[in-house]
């Protein structure tokens, strides 16, 4: 297949190649994406749209729409495909577990990993300069510390997950939602798919479960002003994590919970520091 | 098509016909559902499962699984089908609006209306006595006051939405997710589909929008202990609604917001009652 020049008709004129990700010629070669997917688009504009960030989309000037509407479609398709697959693969799994397992396979971190693994971000057309590049580089380093999924310990750049969803949205529209076309592509992109065996609970959920089982009272305290989150179990300080404006509160809580779990599992759970009610505000 | 006796093999022995909804023969005739859908199931057990409440499901005793896993599949399929349809029908609608419009078409109230309109609840097999019947009867009366959608003013019984989702899950599994089979059935069930023209904002959202536009400060106060929710705009009491344990807080808030909107639209916004900070607790 040969892509005609008109395929790239809505690529905006840009100041320098550095506006794009790892592009030598100015316009990334979307034929490579088709090769990766093993799928040839009937409507090339859909593929192009999937990689068009709102910062370069300019419909009024005759340009291309951004990926946001396709992302909305792709998100729904992903959820449906995973719901189906997990339903069939795990006939004894409860709806609650099916929902958790699906979430782990389609959440922002998982999809951001897909974008990094297949270098999909290199096709993203955006005008937001180096900021996105820096975020992706930081995420890539953090990712290496957690081979499968950090389960809430790192904060991925949303744009990476967005383009995976928009790409799946574009394929869905192009192949008219045919399961036989869609599922092998999505499965390939998501590999390794997290299973009940490889899935771990988020530290926050694991700690909650442990405390419920042992009938321990558990509380989180602290906030941005304190610069940290503390975890108290039976009024003993058992875990802490730093918390700053650059972090999501949920990420800080998961770090604190992980610290607490490590403490609770490796000691006989005797802490010298006891809870004093004026330490901080209750979080959860 | 003739349904064999084995189709009903897992109907549990029950004490009386009143355990079921409007059944004269003890077992509801699921052929009627196939007729309504214009779809004949290859795997009749799927259709049966779609109407099996957890209270009668007894897998251990060789009985049928409950509808919960199919409900999980159906929910995802519904979201995908609506995402696709709204994307195609409204090419200029933003992702934010597409999401709101989809929500209005697949939320608990909308699906509960589908179950009532097509009398799908009459096929539900459950062992929860008259409680479900009473809830459905109450919802049916409330429904009549709001022809299309109450937008948050009534609380529908979740079980009604559940069986619509489980039925869609069952059709999806049976027809192998073929869009051409699925979409006409789902579209028929959901008619009238709420459009951008017929969609109304929930009163809470409408009030928030109005106050943002006018740059008015707005607050909700009150709670279960007060028995009511009050709305203050620019420190004037402009709306109220009763709030009791039998209501969802969100429903009470929407009623209070609706009262406030009526007040703000019909008067020149002068209230004799002014806000006193000891009236109640802040809600939102």
């Amino acid at each position: 297949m040969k892509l005609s020049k008109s395929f790239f008709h809505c690529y905006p004129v840009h100041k320098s190649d550095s506006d794009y990700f790892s592009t030598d010629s100015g316009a990334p070669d979307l034929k490579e994406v088709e090769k990766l997917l093993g799928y040839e688009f009937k409507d090339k504009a859909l593929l192009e749209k999937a990689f068009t960030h709102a910062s370069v989309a300019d419909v009024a000037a005759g340009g291309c729409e951004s990926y946001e509407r396709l992302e909305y479609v792709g998100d729904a398709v992903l959820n449906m495909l995973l719901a189906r697959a997990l339903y069939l693969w795990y006939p004894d799994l409860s709806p609650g577990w099916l929902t958790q397992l699906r979430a782990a396979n389609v959440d922002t971190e998982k999809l951001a990993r897909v974008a990094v693994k297949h270098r999909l971000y290199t096709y993203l057309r955006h005008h937001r300069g180096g900021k996105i590049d820096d975020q992706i580089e930081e995420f890539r380093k953090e990712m290496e510390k957690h081979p499968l999924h950090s389960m809430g310990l790192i904060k991925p750049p949303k744009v990476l997950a967005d383009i995976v969803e928009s790409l799946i949205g574009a394929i869905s529209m192009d192949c008219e939602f045919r399961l036989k076309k869609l599922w092998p592509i999505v499965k390939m992109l998501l590999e390794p798919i997290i299973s009940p065996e490889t899935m771990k609970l988020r530290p926050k959920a694991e700690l909650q479960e442990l405390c419920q089982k042992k009938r321990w009272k558990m509380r989180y305290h602290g906030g941005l002003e304190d610069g940290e989150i503390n975890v108290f179990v039976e009024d003993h300080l058992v875990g802490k994590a730093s918390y700053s404006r650059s972090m999501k509160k949920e990420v800080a809580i998961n770090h604190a919970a992980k610290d607490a779990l490590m403490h609770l599992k490796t000691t006989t759970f005797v802490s010298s520091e006891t809870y004093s009610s004026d330490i901080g505000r209750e979080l959860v």
Side-chain angles (χ1 to χ4, degrees), chain A residues 131-211:
Chain A
K131 201 183 156 198
I132 294 182
D133 313 34
D134 295 344
Q135 287 174 341
I136 295 174
E137 197 43 43
E138 198 186 319
F139 173 66
R140 185 201 271 285
K141 280 185 203 148
E142 285 292 317
M143 234 179 86
E144 285 165 11
K145 296 182 198 159
H146 308 273
L148 194 63
H149 199 299
S150 83
M151 296 315 289
L153 295 175
I154 56 182
K155 183 190 162 196
K158 188 178 169 294
V159 66
L160 289 179
D162 290 349
I163 53 171
V164 176
E165 290 182 334
S166 63
L167 179 59
I168 292 167
I171 307 166
S172 306
M173 295 308 300
D174 198 67
C175 79
E176 293 169 347
F177 294 77
R178 264 175 298 162
L179 192 69
K180 280 183 185 161
K181 290 271 181 194
L182 268 170
W183 178 232
I185 298 173
V186 169
K187 191 166 175 279
M188 174 277 291
L189 287 173
L190 293 183
E191 290 290 358
I193 292 180
I194 300 168
S195 70
E197 291 74 35
T198 58
M199 183 170 149
K200 284 182 189 153
L201 280 180
R202 285 172 186 257
K204 183 184 163 187
E206 192 183 340
L207 181 62
Q208 196 180 334
E209 205 172 73
L210 176 73
C211 291

XYZ file of all heavy atoms in Angstrom, chain A residues 131-211:
655
model
N 7.569 19.919 26.982
C 6.955 19.526 28.261
C 6.483 18.056 28.224
O 6.726 17.291 29.144
C 5.768 20.457 28.543
C 5.390 20.481 30.006
C 4.181 21.353 30.244
C 3.487 20.918 31.536
N 2.128 21.386 31.641
N 5.814 17.716 27.106
C 5.330 16.343 26.985
C 6.510 15.372 26.952
O 6.495 14.332 27.605
C 4.418 16.175 25.730
C 3.127 16.997 25.896
C 4.088 14.710 25.493
C 2.131 16.866 24.752
N 7.565 15.762 26.209
C 8.753 14.897 26.099
C 9.331 14.593 27.476
O 9.678 13.449 27.789
C 9.863 15.571 25.279
C 9.370 16.189 23.981
O 8.228 16.677 23.972
O 10.121 16.189 23.015
N 9.435 15.629 28.314
C 10.015 15.446 29.646
C 9.168 14.498 30.488
O 9.689 13.623 31.171
C 10.120 16.803 30.374
C 11.095 17.740 29.673
O 11.887 17.252 28.832
O 11.048 18.957 29.939
N 7.846 14.692 30.416
C 6.938 13.835 31.193
C 7.076 12.376 30.781
O 7.096 11.468 31.609
C 5.481 14.274 30.975
C 5.117 15.575 31.668
C 3.712 16.036 31.288
O 3.164 15.606 30.275
N 3.145 16.908 32.094
N 7.179 12.162 29.457
C 7.283 10.799 28.955
C 8.605 10.172 29.396
O 8.649 9.022 29.821
C 7.133 10.767 27.409
C 5.709 11.214 27.022
C 7.434 9.378 26.854
C 5.464 11.369 25.543
N 9.677 10.955 29.333
C 10.989 10.452 29.730
C 10.995 10.046 31.206
O 11.517 8.994 31.575
C 12.057 11.527 29.444
C 13.482 11.018 29.429
C 13.654 9.691 28.684
O 13.062 9.534 27.603
O 14.367 8.801 29.212
N 10.365 10.872 32.027
C 10.292 10.588 33.464
C 9.487 9.308 33.713
O 9.876 8.448 34.499
C 9.618 11.772 34.172
C 9.859 11.797 35.676
C 9.060 12.909 36.356
O 8.996 14.024 35.788
O 8.476 12.640 37.414
N 8.366 9.196 33.006
C 7.511 8.012 33.161
C 8.251 6.747 32.741
O 8.183 5.708 33.393
C 6.222 8.177 32.342
C 5.359 6.940 32.309
C 4.741 6.465 33.456
C 5.162 6.238 31.117
C 3.948 5.324 33.435
C 4.367 5.093 31.083
C 3.755 4.637 32.243
N 8.980 6.854 31.660
C 9.721 5.702 31.125
C 10.715 5.164 32.167
O 10.839 3.956 32.357
C 10.476 6.179 29.878
C 11.196 5.098 29.141
C 12.263 5.738 28.305
N 11.804 6.133 26.972
C 11.582 5.287 25.975
N 11.681 3.995 26.162
N 11.250 5.731 24.784
N 11.378 6.081 32.856
C 12.331 5.664 33.895
C 11.612 4.986 35.063
O 12.038 3.954 35.566
C 13.103 6.894 34.420
C 14.245 7.334 33.526
C 15.005 8.467 34.176
C 15.757 9.291 33.139
N 15.860 10.701 33.516
N 10.496 5.594 35.497
C 9.729 5.046 36.627
C 9.179 3.651 36.292
O 9.138 2.755 37.125
C 8.558 5.976 36.976
C 8.962 7.244 37.713
C 9.481 6.948 39.118
O 8.872 6.118 39.808
O 10.523 7.536 39.491
N 8.753 3.539 35.013
C 8.161 2.294 34.518
C 9.089 1.104 34.708
O 8.659 -0.001 35.041
C 7.943 2.452 33.004
C 6.569 2.194 32.500
S 6.570 2.484 30.694
C 7.097 0.868 30.088
N 10.376 1.358 34.468
C 11.361 0.275 34.531
C 11.473 -0.334 35.924
O 11.852 -1.498 36.077
C 12.724 0.772 34.037
C 12.739 0.921 32.522
C 13.921 1.731 32.009
O 14.848 2.000 32.799
O 13.893 2.104 30.813
N 11.104 0.455 36.938
C 11.179 -0.061 38.317
C 10.035 -1.040 38.619
O 10.090 -1.772 39.596
C 11.104 1.103 39.315
C 12.262 2.088 39.237
C 12.095 3.162 40.314
C 12.943 4.383 40.006
N 12.463 5.575 40.706
N 8.985 -0.974 37.809
C 7.804 -1.835 38.032
C 7.478 -2.539 36.716
O 6.771 -1.985 35.886
C 6.598 -1.001 38.471
C 6.879 -0.107 39.636
N 6.755 -0.525 40.937
C 7.305 1.179 39.688
C 7.075 0.472 41.742
N 7.419 1.517 41.009
N 8.007 -3.759 36.523
C 7.912 -4.389 35.192
C 6.481 -4.530 34.641
O 6.267 -4.291 33.460
C 8.539 -5.763 35.413
C 9.366 -5.637 36.649
C 8.718 -4.586 37.494
N 5.505 -4.890 35.495
C 4.167 -5.145 34.964
C 3.251 -3.948 35.155
O 2.605 -3.476 34.205
C 3.564 -6.391 35.642
C 2.317 -6.985 34.987
C 2.605 -7.475 33.586
C 1.752 -8.117 35.847
N 3.164 -3.443 36.369
C 2.245 -2.349 36.711
C 2.629 -1.884 38.097
O 2.863 -2.710 38.982
C 0.801 -2.875 36.688
C -0.250 -1.815 36.579
N -0.407 -0.834 37.526
C -1.192 -1.569 35.625
C -1.417 -0.038 37.168
N -1.907 -0.449 36.003
N 2.689 -0.602 38.333
C 3.075 -0.128 39.672
C 1.912 -0.176 40.652
O 2.094 0.002 41.844
C 3.625 1.297 39.590
O 2.560 2.240 39.594
N 0.703 -0.388 40.168
C -0.512 -0.381 40.987
C -0.602 0.884 41.847
O -0.687 0.825 43.080
C -0.611 -1.643 41.850
C -0.739 -2.940 41.052
S -1.920 -2.909 39.680
C -3.504 -2.884 40.509
N -0.575 1.999 41.173
C -0.846 3.265 41.854
C 0.364 3.988 42.403
O 0.228 5.004 43.063
N 1.592 3.481 42.146
C 2.771 4.134 42.722
C 3.393 5.170 41.796
O 4.238 5.945 42.224
C 3.815 3.084 43.124
C 3.378 2.132 44.251
C 4.434 1.058 44.494
C 3.108 2.903 45.547
N 3.007 5.168 40.515
C 3.535 6.212 39.620
C 2.402 6.920 38.884
O 1.305 6.385 38.750
C 4.614 5.670 38.635
C 4.091 4.498 37.800
C 5.856 5.247 39.374
C 5.133 3.900 36.860
N 2.711 8.137 38.461
C 1.690 8.953 37.807
C 2.052 9.090 36.327
O 3.008 9.768 35.983
C 1.658 10.337 38.461
C 0.594 11.265 37.917
C 0.801 12.671 38.446
C 0.046 13.673 37.599
N 0.514 15.040 37.846
N 1.321 8.396 35.460
C 1.688 8.430 34.030
C 1.131 9.673 33.331
O 0.100 10.202 33.744
C 1.010 7.178 33.489
C -0.076 6.866 34.445
C 0.146 7.573 35.730
N 1.805 10.134 32.267
C 1.248 11.259 31.504
C -0.022 10.802 30.777
O 0.009 9.823 30.049
C 2.354 11.588 30.491
C 3.549 10.801 30.906
C 3.073 9.646 31.708
N -1.110 11.545 30.981
C -2.405 11.146 30.431
C -2.366 11.045 28.901
O -3.008 10.178 28.309
C -3.480 12.139 30.877
C -4.896 11.689 30.518
C -5.933 12.664 31.024
C -7.308 12.345 30.432
N -7.410 12.531 28.978
N -1.564 11.905 28.276
C -1.532 11.943 26.809
C -1.150 10.578 26.216
O -1.625 10.199 25.132
C -0.588 13.066 26.300
C 0.860 12.786 26.662
C -0.725 13.295 24.799
N -0.302 9.834 26.918
C 0.126 8.525 26.412
C -1.059 7.558 26.347
O -1.231 6.831 25.362
C 1.216 7.935 27.311
C 2.589 8.604 27.256
C 3.546 7.923 28.225
C 3.166 8.538 25.837
N -1.873 7.560 27.418
C -3.055 6.680 27.425
C -4.053 7.168 26.373
O -4.696 6.363 25.685
C -3.688 6.685 28.808
N -4.169 8.482 26.241
C -5.116 9.068 25.281
C -4.889 8.546 23.863
O -5.840 8.200 23.156
C -4.980 10.603 25.247
C -5.494 11.253 26.525
O -6.133 10.560 27.335
O -5.245 12.461 26.703
N -3.621 8.511 23.428
C -3.383 8.130 22.026
C -3.614 6.637 21.790
O -3.955 6.232 20.685
C -2.003 8.579 21.480
C -0.870 8.099 22.387
C -1.968 10.092 21.280
C 0.511 8.328 21.793
N -3.454 5.823 22.843
C -3.781 4.398 22.677
C -5.295 4.271 22.496
O -5.780 3.550 21.612
C -3.282 3.566 23.880
C -3.718 2.115 23.751
C -1.760 3.650 23.972
N -6.047 4.999 23.313
C -7.507 4.953 23.192
C -7.966 5.517 21.851
O -8.848 4.946 21.201
C -8.160 5.733 24.344
C -8.003 5.027 25.680
C -8.671 5.732 26.844
O -8.835 6.972 26.777
O -9.011 5.062 27.821
N -7.363 6.617 21.428
C -7.814 7.208 20.163
C -7.456 6.297 18.987
O -8.233 6.172 18.035
C -7.228 8.612 19.966
O -5.823 8.557 19.886
N -6.303 5.622 19.082
C -5.931 4.689 18.014
C -6.941 3.540 17.950
O -7.398 3.164 16.855
C -4.509 4.145 18.260
C -3.987 3.134 17.244
C -3.970 3.720 15.829
C -2.575 2.656 17.615
N -7.336 3.019 19.110
C -8.324 1.932 19.131
C -9.678 2.450 18.636
O -10.392 1.749 17.907
C -8.412 1.312 20.548
C -7.097 0.573 20.842
C -9.599 0.351 20.672
C -6.894 0.168 22.278
N -9.997 3.693 18.967
C -11.224 4.307 18.447
C -11.193 4.405 16.929
O -12.181 4.113 16.244
N -10.032 4.779 16.398
C -9.884 4.928 14.943
C -10.023 3.571 14.242
O -10.724 3.457 13.224
C -8.527 5.556 14.619
N -9.385 2.551 14.800
C -9.501 1.213 14.184
C -10.963 0.754 14.241
O -11.499 0.210 13.266
C -8.610 0.159 14.912
C -7.163 0.641 15.008
C -8.661 -1.188 14.190
C -6.309 -0.165 15.990
N -11.617 0.986 15.380
C -13.020 0.567 15.549
C -13.917 1.190 14.486
O -14.731 0.496 13.858
C -13.539 0.993 16.932
O -12.703 0.519 17.943
N -13.771 2.498 14.291
C -14.605 3.175 13.302
C -14.285 2.635 11.912
O -15.167 2.411 11.093
C -14.361 4.694 13.320
C -14.753 5.423 14.604
S -16.434 5.138 15.230
C -17.424 5.719 13.885
N -12.992 2.414 11.649
C -12.574 1.999 10.316
C -13.031 0.582 9.985
O -13.424 0.303 8.845
C -11.045 2.098 10.197
C -10.585 2.099 8.747
O -10.892 3.079 8.030
O -9.957 1.109 8.315
N -12.997 -0.314 10.964
C -13.358 -1.716 10.685
C -14.810 -1.994 11.062
O -15.234 -3.157 11.111
C -12.412 -2.686 11.385
S -12.760 -2.925 13.128
N -15.542 -0.937 11.355
C -16.956 -1.044 11.725
C -17.184 -1.971 12.917
O -18.105 -2.781 12.923
C -17.807 -1.451 10.509
C -17.815 -0.331 9.478
C -18.402 -0.728 8.140
O -18.582 -1.929 7.904
O -18.672 0.173 7.333
N -16.327 -1.843 13.885
C -16.465 -2.534 15.170
C -16.496 -4.059 15.042
O -17.080 -4.731 15.877
C -17.713 -2.027 15.927
C -17.600 -0.583 16.336
C -17.773 0.438 15.410
C -17.307 -0.238 17.641
C -17.651 1.768 15.766
C -17.181 1.095 18.009
C -17.351 2.090 17.062
N -15.830 -4.571 14.014
C -15.828 -6.031 13.875
C -14.849 -6.659 14.873
O -13.648 -6.420 14.833
C -15.493 -6.441 12.442
C -16.781 -6.705 11.629
C -16.459 -6.997 10.208
N -15.793 -5.851 9.589
C -15.087 -5.901 8.475
N -14.914 -7.050 7.863
N -14.537 -4.806 7.975
N -15.416 -7.473 15.754
C -14.664 -8.101 16.840
C -13.452 -8.878 16.320
O -12.377 -8.839 16.920
C -15.615 -9.053 17.576
C -15.143 -9.594 18.908
C -15.108 -8.497 19.942
C -16.058 -10.715 19.373
N -13.632 -9.573 15.187
C -12.551 -10.417 14.668
C -11.358 -9.600 14.196
O -10.232 -10.096 14.152
C -13.075 -11.309 13.533
C -13.815 -12.507 14.091
C -14.278 -13.456 13.027
C -15.112 -14.556 13.678
N -15.951 -15.259 12.732
N -11.600 -8.375 13.803
C -10.495 -7.489 13.426
C -9.913 -6.851 14.689
O -8.703 -6.763 14.866
C -10.999 -6.358 12.501
C -11.391 -6.799 11.119
C -10.192 -6.745 10.189
C -10.610 -7.175 8.788
N -9.457 -7.466 7.943
N -10.815 -6.349 15.528
C -10.418 -5.524 16.666
C -9.650 -6.284 17.754
O -8.608 -5.827 18.222
C -11.674 -4.940 17.320
C -12.137 -3.576 16.856
C -13.512 -3.282 17.435
C -11.147 -2.499 17.272
N -10.204 -7.405 18.184
C -9.653 -8.060 19.367
C -8.204 -8.508 19.206
O -7.371 -8.252 20.092
C -10.580 -9.200 19.822
C -10.079 -9.962 21.004
C -9.943 -11.299 21.105
C -9.621 -9.428 22.270
N -9.440 -11.646 22.336
C -9.225 -10.513 23.069
C -9.482 -8.132 22.782
C -8.712 -10.356 24.361
C -8.972 -7.974 24.066
C -8.602 -9.075 24.840
N -7.811 -9.139 18.071
C -6.398 -9.545 17.959
C -5.452 -8.337 18.046
O -4.375 -8.443 18.636
C -6.316 -10.200 16.578
C -7.721 -10.593 16.250
C -8.594 -9.577 16.900
N -5.871 -7.204 17.488
C -5.002 -6.012 17.542
C -4.896 -5.507 18.985
O -3.811 -5.252 19.501
C -5.560 -4.885 16.633
C -5.580 -5.339 15.170
C -4.739 -3.610 16.784
C -6.278 -4.366 14.224
N -6.050 -5.379 19.637
C -6.052 -4.843 21.005
C -5.316 -5.799 21.949
O -4.540 -5.369 22.804
C -7.506 -4.585 21.472
C -7.567 -4.291 22.957
C -8.111 -3.427 20.675
N -5.510 -7.076 21.754
C -4.828 -8.079 22.596
C -3.312 -7.962 22.431
O -2.571 -7.955 23.407
C -5.306 -9.483 22.184
C -4.881 -10.577 23.126
C -5.670 -11.849 22.834
C -5.187 -13.010 23.685
N -3.984 -13.656 23.163
N -2.880 -7.831 21.178
C -1.448 -7.693 20.905
C -0.908 -6.429 21.594
O 0.145 -6.452 22.234
C -1.238 -7.628 19.386
C 0.163 -7.356 18.902
S 0.656 -5.613 18.852
C -0.366 -4.960 17.519
N -1.648 -5.336 21.493
C -1.188 -4.077 22.100
C -1.080 -4.200 23.620
O -0.144 -3.686 24.229
C -2.137 -2.923 21.749
C -2.084 -2.385 20.309
C -3.194 -1.367 20.078
C -0.717 -1.747 20.004
N -2.049 -4.874 24.229
C -2.105 -4.921 25.698
C -1.182 -5.970 26.328
O -0.978 -5.962 27.535
C -3.534 -5.201 26.174
C -4.593 -4.132 25.930
C -5.919 -4.569 26.537
C -4.207 -2.776 26.518
N -0.637 -6.883 25.526
C 0.210 -7.939 26.088
C 1.388 -7.343 26.864
O 1.987 -6.386 26.382
C 0.737 -8.876 24.987
C -0.317 -9.774 24.357
C -0.851 -10.875 25.285
O -0.380 -10.982 26.427
O -1.758 -11.592 24.847
N 1.759 -7.885 28.032
C 1.103 -8.981 28.737
C -0.161 -8.511 29.476
O -0.098 -7.565 30.248
C 2.167 -9.420 29.752
C 2.969 -8.186 30.013
C 2.917 -7.367 28.755
N -1.280 -9.199 29.207
C -2.529 -8.862 29.884
C -2.457 -9.360 31.330
O -2.036 -10.491 31.577
C -3.738 -9.451 29.116
C -3.876 -8.706 27.775
C -5.028 -9.359 29.949
C -5.007 -9.161 26.884
N -2.807 -8.475 32.255
C -2.735 -8.813 33.682
C -3.842 -9.814 34.015
O -4.999 -9.609 33.652
C -2.840 -7.535 34.543
C -1.677 -6.583 34.204
C -2.844 -7.867 36.036
C -1.827 -5.182 34.755
N -3.447 -10.907 34.657
C -4.387 -11.995 34.984
C -4.660 -11.995 36.486
O -3.990 -11.284 37.238
C -3.767 -13.332 34.576
O -2.681 -13.609 35.442
N -5.611 -12.825 36.961
C -5.836 -12.887 38.412
C -4.552 -13.312 39.137
O -4.328 -12.922 40.273
C -6.923 -13.958 38.559
C -7.636 -13.962 37.259
C -6.598 -13.655 36.225
N -3.706 -14.115 38.458
C -2.468 -14.586 39.092
C -1.428 -13.477 39.195
O -0.695 -13.388 40.171
C -1.868 -15.761 38.298
C -2.678 -17.055 38.362
C -3.951 -16.995 37.520
O -3.940 -16.360 36.449
O -4.974 -17.573 37.965
N -1.334 -12.648 38.140
C -0.286 -11.618 38.150
C -0.780 -10.292 38.726
O 0.013 -9.393 38.962
C 0.270 -11.372 36.730
O -0.819 -10.973 35.873
C 0.915 -12.614 36.160
N -2.086 -10.186 38.945
C -2.609 -8.915 39.445
C -2.312 -8.744 40.935
O -2.489 -9.650 41.723
C -4.118 -8.823 39.236
C -4.638 -7.460 39.683
S -6.335 -7.206 39.204
C -6.871 -6.156 40.555
N -1.846 -7.551 41.246
C -1.657 -7.226 42.657
C -2.658 -6.147 43.028
O -3.028 -5.315 42.191
C -0.233 -6.703 42.886
C 0.797 -7.806 42.875
C 2.160 -7.227 43.165
C 3.230 -8.295 42.939
N 4.506 -7.697 42.577
N -3.034 -6.153 44.274
C -3.902 -5.068 44.749
C -3.071 -3.797 44.857
O -1.866 -3.849 45.077
C -4.453 -5.402 46.129
C -5.641 -6.357 46.223
C -6.027 -6.558 47.682
C -6.844 -5.783 45.466
N -3.715 -2.663 44.737
C -3.048 -1.414 45.048
C -2.734 -1.446 46.549
O -3.534 -1.959 47.325
C -3.964 -0.225 44.736
C -4.040 0.000 43.242
C -5.044 1.002 42.810
N -5.058 0.947 41.362
C -4.479 1.843 40.554
N -3.907 2.904 41.075
N -4.490 1.684 39.263
N -1.560 -0.903 46.954
C -1.202 -0.961 48.373
C -2.319 -0.451 49.287
O -2.584 -1.041 50.327
C 0.031 -0.057 48.444
C 0.641 -0.146 47.091
C -0.505 -0.294 46.143
N -3.011 0.605 48.874
C -4.098 1.151 49.691
C -5.178 0.081 49.928
O -5.649 -0.103 51.048
C -4.710 2.359 48.964
C -5.798 3.063 49.734
C -6.394 4.175 48.874
C -7.736 4.619 49.415
N -8.406 5.566 48.514
N -5.532 -0.646 48.862
C -6.562 -1.682 48.973
C -6.044 -2.870 49.772
O -6.765 -3.466 50.566
C -7.000 -2.121 47.579
N -4.755 -3.208 49.566
C -4.171 -4.357 50.281
C -4.126 -4.078 51.784
O -4.453 -4.949 52.601
C -2.760 -4.641 49.736
C -2.225 -5.984 50.212
C -0.791 -6.257 49.753
O -0.344 -5.615 48.787
O -0.132 -7.088 50.385
N -3.740 -2.864 52.140
C -3.662 -2.489 53.557
C -5.059 -2.512 54.184
O -5.249 -3.011 55.296
C -3.037 -1.089 53.692
C -2.878 -0.568 55.123
C -1.954 -1.465 55.942
C -2.338 0.863 55.120
N -6.013 -2.000 53.438
C -7.394 -1.978 53.934
C -7.896 -3.398 54.192
O -8.493 -3.694 55.228
C -8.282 -1.289 52.900
C -9.627 -0.863 53.453
C -10.478 -0.189 52.385
O -9.943 0.382 51.430
N -11.784 -0.251 52.531
N -7.578 -4.288 53.253
C -8.001 -5.688 53.380
C -7.359 -6.352 54.599
O -8.028 -7.030 55.380
C -7.609 -6.444 52.097
C -8.468 -7.646 51.838
C -8.184 -8.257 50.465
O -7.119 -8.886 50.316
O -9.021 -8.104 49.560
N -6.047 -6.107 54.748
C -5.314 -6.674 55.888
C -5.921 -6.192 57.207
O -6.150 -6.984 58.129
C -3.833 -6.276 55.791
C -2.942 -6.718 56.964
C -2.690 -8.218 56.916
C -1.596 -5.975 56.944
N -6.190 -4.894 57.283
C -6.712 -4.325 58.531
C -8.124 -4.833 58.831
O -8.471 -5.061 59.984
C -6.673 -2.800 58.483
S -4.979 -2.178 58.522
